[in-house]
Amino acid sequence: MNAAQLHDYRKEIYNHLTTELLPFWENRCVDKENGGFITHFDNAGNDSGEDEKSLIAQTRTVFTFSSAHRAGYGEGRYADIARHGVDFLIGKMWDEENGGFYWLMDRKGNVKIDEKIIYGHSFAMYSLAEYTLATGDPRGLEYAEKVFDLLQKHGADTYYGGYFEMFHRNWELKGPGAAGGDRKTLDAHMHLMEAFTTLYEASGKQVHRRKLLEIIELLIHRIMHPEYKTGIPQFWADWTVAPQIKFDIIWGWDRFSEDGMKAAAEDNTSYGHNVEFAWLLMHALDILDIPYSHFEDQLRASFDHAVAYGIDWEYGGVYVEGSHSGEVYDREKEFWQQAEVIIGMLDAYRVYKDEKYLEAYHATHRFVFDHMIHSEVGEWLPLLTRQGEPIWKHMSHSWKVNYHSVRSMVQAIVRLDKLLNA
């Protein structure tokens, strides 16, 4: 380990986080007129005008400012911004009649889509629990627990395990196919693990601990591939593998074929998701006070698959996805996979001391800082070619906000400090 190199990484990250990335959001996103956050910005960082406030973007922005404040940034300003977002979530997006949060509002806070989507509610729990941990405001934990209770009442599949994900406003399950009522996903269950971790950290309640342990077991024994231990994207209700399709409410439609079916629909895995799952599992184990060694086979497999097949050793960065056995399908570079691999590879190196993880970190770090950060503005570009040329150029919309980029930088500094202090 070269301590000077680690210092250089930390300095580059800290400078980007504090002079570009956090100021980008602090100076743009607060909607002083209508409440909540403006989350749609073009390549120049200007408001691109979409008349929407989504549950996913509002909750993720609450998380971003809560976690940044908790980590010691913003001199108190970020707690105020997070509180502004929580006021909008509770005051406008909460369904007083049926419970839960609406999926989509217009900028003034009128409901556009009233459905209850579990993916969005996972981020509601995650962000609101983080908000209470960061600020002490009890409203965050109160509403995080309300969502948790609704999820157990309406969403839990008590026969096959796990959770259904797509509901109407009154919590009746949506129909099959593109409506999503007959599917379960890695994505939602991984983020529920993330949410239950922070909820348990905030509440200390045994029921939250039990559900966190339960979903960890489900992820490892149902959602990870039995041979390769890589994530499988979609399942039928009984946990048999389902072809990956696009849902009515999902992002990335233009990355599917015209018939809504993913290429290699039954044999694909995301390198970014696998690494994100591994470091989120490590964090959950920290909160649960369980040794990493209990799940070492899974953790090493998640990291090693990405290192072997997902890292682009020629141009840097991490590919989008490939087969479980190793064939790469999509060599483009998407923002969120880079963000998660930055955190995960530092964790892998910190715990297992294998230089290949630090080399994978370096390849991803350099790609982000040399190609993905739009330094004139301060945020990350969403999608690049393998070589680093922009494909999508917007700075933010409902699905590409601040959660991955800011969290990556905040958590990378935490891990670099651990390595330097060691």
Side-chain angles (χ1 to χ4, degrees):
M1 180 178 67
N2 185 330
Q5 186 179 31
L6 297 179
H7 275 294
D8 288 344
Y9 293 143
R10 190 194 190 283
K11 182 178 179 181
E12 193 170 22
I13 291 172
Y14 183 83
N15 179 67
H16 169 55
L17 177 65
T18 58
T19 68
E20 296 176 346
L21 191 53
L22 284 168
F24 176 95
W25 290 99
E26 180 180 359
N27 296 331
R28 287 172 173 80
C29 75
V30 177
D31 186 341
K32 297 178 181 177
E33 180 180 356
N34 299 304
F37 302 116
I38 296 167
T39 54
H40 292 69
F41 301 102
D42 65 17
N43 182 258
N46 298 317
D47 181 357
S48 52
E50 283 88 343
D51 186 22
E52 66 177 49
K53 287 177 177 167
S54 68
L55 177 59
I56 197 71
Q58 298 301 308
T59 54
R60 284 177 164 181
T61 305
V62 167
F63 174 83
T64 291
F65 284 103
S66 298
S67 63
H69 172 71
R70 190 179 172 197
Y73 300 96
E75 299 177 326
R77 302 187 309 276
Y78 297 160
D80 293 337
I81 295 174
R83 187 174 299 109
H84 174 86
V86 169
D87 290 344
F88 184 83
L89 277 174
I90 294 174
K92 292 287 189 178
M93 298 197 83
W94 182 259
D95 181 349
E96 293 287 353
E97 181 181 355
N98 299 285
F101 292 100
Y102 301 118
W103 178 248
L104 191 68
M105 323 286 288
D106 66 16
R107 288 200 178 191
K108 293 183 178 179
N110 301 303
V111 179
K112 295 179 74 172
I113 297 177
D114 64 8
E115 294 176 0
K116 305 296 167 61
I117 309 301
I118 297 307
Y119 189 92
H121 283 79
S122 72
F123 280 96
M125 283 185 283
Y126 187 44
S127 64
L128 289 165
E130 180 73 21
Y131 170 71
T132 291
L133 287 164
T135 68
D137 185 340
R139 293 182 302 159
L141 182 56
E142 176 191 352
Y143 276 83
E145 291 196 70
K146 285 183 178 182
V147 171
F148 175 87
D149 292 345
L150 285 164
L151 183 64
Q152 306 314 316
K153 180 179 180 181
H154 299 293
D157 182 348
T158 55
Y159 191 79
Y160 290 113
Y163 298 88
F164 295 107
E165 301 180 19
M166 307 286 193
F167 296 87
H168 296 290
R169 177 182 176 178
N170 64 357
W171 291 99
E172 287 186 2
L173 190 63
K174 291 177 67 178
D182 61 346
R183 302 282 180 124
K184 294 170 182 172
T185 67
L186 159 67
D187 212 356
H189 285 78
M190 182 182 72
H191 289 298
L192 286 172
M193 177 183 74
E194 170 186 68
F196 292 172
T197 299
T198 305
L199 179 60
Y200 173 57
E201 184 182 4
S203 76
K205 290 186 176 179
Q206 285 298 308
V207 65
H208 300 148
R209 181 185 178 91
R210 289 198 303 272
K211 287 298 177 181
L212 174 56
L213 289 166
E214 180 183 289
I215 207 161
I216 288 170
E217 289 296 320
L218 184 145
L219 280 156
I220 290 173
H221 297 296
R222 291 286 193 181
I223 294 177
M224 296 298 137
H225 193 285
E227 180 180 355
Y228 299 105
K229 300 185 184 299
T230 44
I232 299 170
Q234 285 185 21
F235 299 84
W236 302 111
D238 65 358
W239 294 109
T240 55
V241 177
Q244 191 179 5
I245 61 169
K246 70 178 183 183
F247 299 127
D248 292 337
I249 294 180
I250 196 170
W251 74 316
W253 283 20
D254 44 358
R255 299 181 68 75
F256 287 78
S257 62
E258 290 184 4
D259 64 1
M261 188 75 72
K262 193 88 166 187
E266 294 189 56
D267 180 22
N268 66 89
T269 192
S270 162
Y271 309 110
H273 267 156
N274 293 334
V275 174
E276 184 179 14
F277 166 70
W279 83 255
L280 287 172
L281 175 57
M282 283 180 156
H283 178 58
L285 296 173
D286 288 340
I287 299 303
L288 290 163
D289 195 24
I290 294 173
Y292 301 146
S293 57
H294 280 44
F295 297 99
E296 183 169 347
D297 288 349
Q298 176 63 62
L299 292 168
R300 292 296 291 262
S302 297
F303 291 128
D304 289 351
H305 187 274
V307 170
Y309 306 113
I311 299 296
D312 184 344
W313 295 107
E314 182 177 358
Y315 293 103
V318 60
Y319 301 129
V320 171
E321 67 184 18
S323 73
H324 296 283
S325 63
E327 180 187 356
V328 181
Y329 298 149
D330 189 340
R331 285 180 163 81
E332 291 172 348
K333 311 289 173 60
E334 205 164 4
F335 73 101
W336 68 265
Q337 288 98 333
Q338 318 305 313
E340 300 309 319
V341 167
I342 279 174
I343 303 172
M345 289 303 159
L346 286 175
D347 260 345
Y349 179 67
R350 174 179 64 86
V351 174
Y352 300 116
K353 311 301 184 193
D354 190 324
E355 289 291 328
K356 71 182 180 184
Y357 299 128
L358 191 60
E359 291 166 4
Y361 169 81
H362 175 77
T364 310
H365 175 108
R366 281 272 50 91
F367 185 86
V368 167
F369 278 84
D370 293 344
H371 300 288
M372 189 155 272
I373 294 170
H374 187 13
S375 295
E376 294 85 352
V377 178
E379 244 291 348
W380 299 18
L381 292 159
L383 185 69
L384 309 181
T385 65
R386 179 187 180 188
Q387 293 79 9
E389 294 300 317
I391 299 172
W392 297 344
K393 298 182 180 181
H394 56 272
M395 289 292 94
S396 177
H397 59 39
S398 278
W399 287 96
K400 194 270 174 191
V401 281
N402 38 51
Y403 150 77
H404 286 288
S405 55
V406 174
R407 184 175 72 170
S408 178
M409 299 295 92
V410 169
Q411 293 302 320
I413 288 172
V414 170
R415 284 150 181 78
L416 286 165
D417 284 344
K418 288 180 178 179
L419 287 166
L420 288 164
N421 290 336

